[in-house]
Amino acid sequence: MEFQFANVLVFLLLGAITAGLMLGLGWLLRPANPESRKLSTYECGEPPSGSAWINFNIRFYLIALVFLIFDVEIAFVYPVTVAFREYVLQGRGLLVLTELFVFVGILFVGLIYVWAKQDLEWLKRVARPS
Amino acid sequence: MQQFADYLLDEGILAGLPKSLGYALVIAFFAFVLLNFIMLVAGVTSWLERRVWARIQSRVGPNRVGPQGAIQWLADGIKNIMKEDIVPTAADKPLFKAAPYLAMIGFFGAWACVPFGDGLIIADLNVGVLYITAVTGLVVVGILMAGWSSNNKWALLGGMRSAAQIVSYEIPAAIAVNAVIVLTGTLSMQGIIRAQGWAPWNWFLFDNPFTFVAFFIFFVALLAEGNRTPFDLPEAESELVAGAFTEYSGLRSLLFFLVEWGNLYIIGALCTSLFLGGWQTPHFTDNGFVLGLVQFVVFFLKSYFLVFVAMWIRATLPRVRVDQLMSLCWKYLVPISFVNLLGAMLWVVAFPHGFLPARLGMFLFGIMVTIYFLMRVAFHLRRARPEMSWNPIA
């Protein structure tokens, strides 16, 4: 297994080295005539108005939150599914299935709650205070 | 591959060398071979994709450089190397420069676990599927970093969309894989392929109705993760200039596109090894070399067919809106994939050793769907005006 992981490490490095070599080759070959207008931020040819580092749409945070919960759940589902066949062959399949059913069920209640709260809609309709 | 390295060290050309040095040489050699293969596949895909779109849309496409434009990708690469590299003054320079590296690292890492044949795999990890899911996540970080560091409104929007999209679609993809894992009980890519057979009814695609559904969920989710049309919102040319890559020029943008086109093959390879039987061929000869070659060709053709399907989809479908994208994921794919997983587990409880009639039934169903689909295509081809008719050779 160490051999396999050494390979993986080599491949991760290979990605960086390839990118580095290509950029290095480009650095040797390409022209470099920087100029202030060339280096300005592209905004359809107009002078850029302000910075782009702003508070962006809060939807993205919500998606990230919901994702985080589901991702943790997936991390827990993987070991169960890997060992599931063993359990079935030992005759304990239904027990494991029930447990996973409860596990997924709890999460599903959460999903339904988020859905009912309209947090999955890109444009949430908020009732105006009267 | 370790056996191969041991063989070379014991009686092959590396005999007499220290073990660690021999291993390092073998690893470096295969890394170099695969590096060339990756570049070739990504490059040829970029040319072929443009040709295929052009044909589907009744255009010609690049056909000047080389026979039928076959080395257009090489010309594009050389052109991009010669282009000036522009880093905007307003950008966050270290992050801006680091972003392509991260994308490339994630992309190359995934290749280490792609099985090309029996024994033809760089690293057969026992956590293979999980590893690929994890390491392709690095590409997202690269794109998000590119979008944020550019200090450009288009780039920021593209990067944010990309992160939200890839992150959301990771859930149905990861859950759909589990429908296969419950059948095999292993996460190793080779283990999953060995559990299938060469015959289509032994593929996991037709194993039971749940894996059949899982395949389509997986393919759609991977298309979205690879930023492919109809989900190419992060880099929507007609609305966001070039999305997260707006400020990137020359070689740096080329690296991102290399990742995109290379990922296309990884999508095909993943679907092939998990659902379509991978490199499995009948054991028709004892000659290991011939068998390995045939396995490689079979695997390549299967996965390239899926790449072709992805190109076909890109040439056919319009782009979805961002709210449609999110509702497709969270309201359809996520619930369906979870129900599908529970169904697949129930199936394993009911039939721990597989159920042949169901396999044959699913296979027949698959054939019927294909025939119906081909009839639809033929119908539309007949109805098309003669000047729109499609001739693959012309």
Side-chain angles (χ1 to χ4, degrees):
Chain A
M1 206 31 84
E2 286 80 18
F3 185 77
Q4 319 285 2
F5 279 106
N7 264 309
V8 167
L9 181 67
V10 165
F11 259 76
L12 295 179
L13 286 177
L14 187 69
I17 292 170
T18 312
L21 278 181
M22 282 173 77
L23 286 169
L25 185 67
W27 181 75
L28 288 176
L29 293 174
R30 70 192 167 214
N33 305 311
E35 186 217 332
S36 70
R37 267 173 300 177
K38 201 190 267 179
L39 295 179
S40 71
T41 305
Y42 174 75
E43 216 164 286
C44 305
E46 301 280 324
S49 60
S51 163
W53 292 330
I54 47 169
N55 294 337
F56 46 84
N57 198 337
I58 194 135
R59 300 276 107 204
F60 292 111
Y61 290 107
L62 272 174
I63 294 287
L65 272 180
V66 181
F67 160 75
L68 201 64
I69 298 163
F70 272 89
D71 209 37
V72 172
E73 143 126 5
I74 289 170
F76 283 120
V77 164
Y78 263 100
V80 177
T81 48
V82 171
F84 185 63
R85 221 181 130 73
E86 292 291 311
Y87 281 117
V88 170
L89 294 180
Q90 287 170 19
R92 287 192 289 165
L94 273 179
L95 177 72
V96 179
L97 186 63
T98 320
E99 279 177 3
L100 204 78
F101 203 83
V102 172
F103 186 61
V104 171
I106 292 172
L107 224 105
F108 247 74
V109 175
L111 183 67
I112 291 167
Y113 180 77
V114 176
W115 197 333
K117 280 286 198 181
Q118 293 191 343
D119 278 325
L120 293 181
E121 314 288 331
W122 201 252
L123 295 172
K124 187 178 179 179
R125 282 183 186 78
V126 184
R128 290 243 175 83
S130 53
Chain B
M1 217 181 97
Q2 194 169 8
Q3 291 93 335
F4 182 68
D6 283 334
Y7 164 77
L8 283 186
L9 275 172
D10 287 342
E11 42 202 302
I13 48 170
L14 296 179
L17 282 178
K19 201 168 186 183
S20 49
L21 182 64
Y23 276 178
L25 280 177
V26 171
I27 291 177
F29 174 73
F30 277 100
F32 183 71
V33 169
L34 203 65
L35 170 68
N36 284 306
F37 180 76
I38 293 169
M39 293 295 173
L40 199 68
V41 163
V44 169
T45 305
S46 81
W47 161 71
L48 201 68
E49 184 167 43
R50 285 153 74 186
R51 286 291 285 184
V52 169
W53 295 342
R55 273 288 146 217
I56 291 177
Q57 297 165 350
S58 292
R59 295 183 284 116
V60 180
N63 67 344
R64 290 286 156 180
V65 192
Q68 294 289 314
I71 52 172
Q72 175 73 40
W73 57 279
L74 214 54
D76 285 345
I78 292 170
K79 184 194 79 175
N80 270 304
I81 286 179
M82 307 294 280
K83 286 284 174 190
E84 185 174 355
D85 181 49
I86 295 171
V87 181
T89 30
D92 186 335
K93 288 193 184 59
L95 279 187
F96 188 86
K97 289 181 176 169
Y101 286 91
L102 266 181
M104 285 289 274
I105 289 172
F107 165 63
F108 270 75
W111 281 87
C113 259
V114 172
F116 296 99
D118 194 1
L120 259 182
I121 184 170
I122 296 296
D124 183 20
L125 301 182
N126 51 4
V127 288
V129 180
L130 198 57
Y131 166 76
I132 290 189
T133 324
V135 88
T136 44
L138 268 180
V139 179
V140 194
V141 181
I143 293 176
L144 189 58
M145 216 183 226
W148 177 257
S149 66
S150 297
N151 197 356
N152 178 319
K153 279 136 200 155
W154 305 117
L156 180 74
L157 273 175
M160 282 300 148
R161 276 186 184 186
S162 160
Q165 167 186 339
I166 299 180
V167 138
S168 303
Y169 277 86
E170 210 163 281
I171 290 164
I175 286 295
V177 171
N178 279 311
V180 165
I181 294 168
V182 289
L183 291 172
T184 57
T186 173
L187 285 169
S188 139
M189 297 293 272
Q190 295 286 42
I192 290 173
I193 293 178
R194 289 208 179 93
Q196 308 176 58
W198 62 269
W201 52 87
N202 284 332
W203 295 352
F204 280 148
L205 172 62
F206 300 117
D207 192 84
N208 58 52
F210 301 107
T211 47
F212 194 75
V213 175
F215 170 74
F216 291 100
I217 295 174
F218 189 63
F219 190 63
V220 169
L222 278 191
L223 280 187
E225 278 197 59
N227 294 336
R228 302 285 309 174
T229 318
F231 310 107
D232 68 337
L233 291 146
E235 191 241 310
E237 297 93 346
S238 48
E239 34 183 303
L240 286 184
V241 189
F245 318 128
T246 305
E247 289 294 355
Y248 282 84
S249 60
L251 207 46
R252 286 182 211 276
S253 73
L254 179 76
L255 290 180
F256 280 114
F257 285 99
L258 183 78
V259 169
E260 186 185 326
W261 274 307
N263 262 336
L264 201 53
Y265 184 80
I266 291 183
I267 292 171
L270 266 181
C271 288
T272 308
S273 32
L274 291 177
F275 292 98
L276 299 180
W279 39 258
Q280 288 277 9
T281 49
H283 191 83
F284 59 90
T285 167
D286 283 331
N287 188 335
F289 181 73
V290 174
L291 198 64
L293 200 67
V294 170
Q295 282 171 347
F296 177 78
V297 169
V298 164
F299 184 80
F300 189 81
L301 288 181
K302 276 181 190 170
S303 39
Y304 222 82
F305 174 73
L306 289 179
V307 173
F308 172 72
V309 171
M311 292 172 184
W312 188 356
I313 291 173
R314 183 162 188 178
T316 315
L317 294 182
R319 182 181 302 134
V320 297
R321 259 185 357 238
V322 69
D323 60 325
Q324 293 168 336
L325 179 87
M326 286 302 155
S327 64
L328 173 67
C329 177
W330 288 105
K331 293 182 183 170
Y332 296 92
L333 290 186
V334 168
I336 292 174
S337 60
F338 272 104
V339 171
N340 194 48
L341 169 67
L342 293 176
M345 293 178 87
L346 207 61
W347 186 275
V348 174
V349 172
F351 309 104
H353 300 287
F355 187 52
L356 192 61
R359 278 187 198 168
L360 294 176
M362 286 312 295
F363 180 54
L364 282 180
F365 177 70
I367 289 181
M368 273 158 53
V369 169
T370 316
I371 289 176
Y372 178 68
F373 177 70
L374 290 178
M375 277 164 63
R376 296 283 304 181
V377 172
F379 174 73
H380 284 291
L381 281 183
R382 270 201 307 277
R383 274 191 46 181
R385 294 200 302 276
E387 68 268 23
M388 301 279 277
S389 75
W390 186 69
N391 182 356
I393 305 146

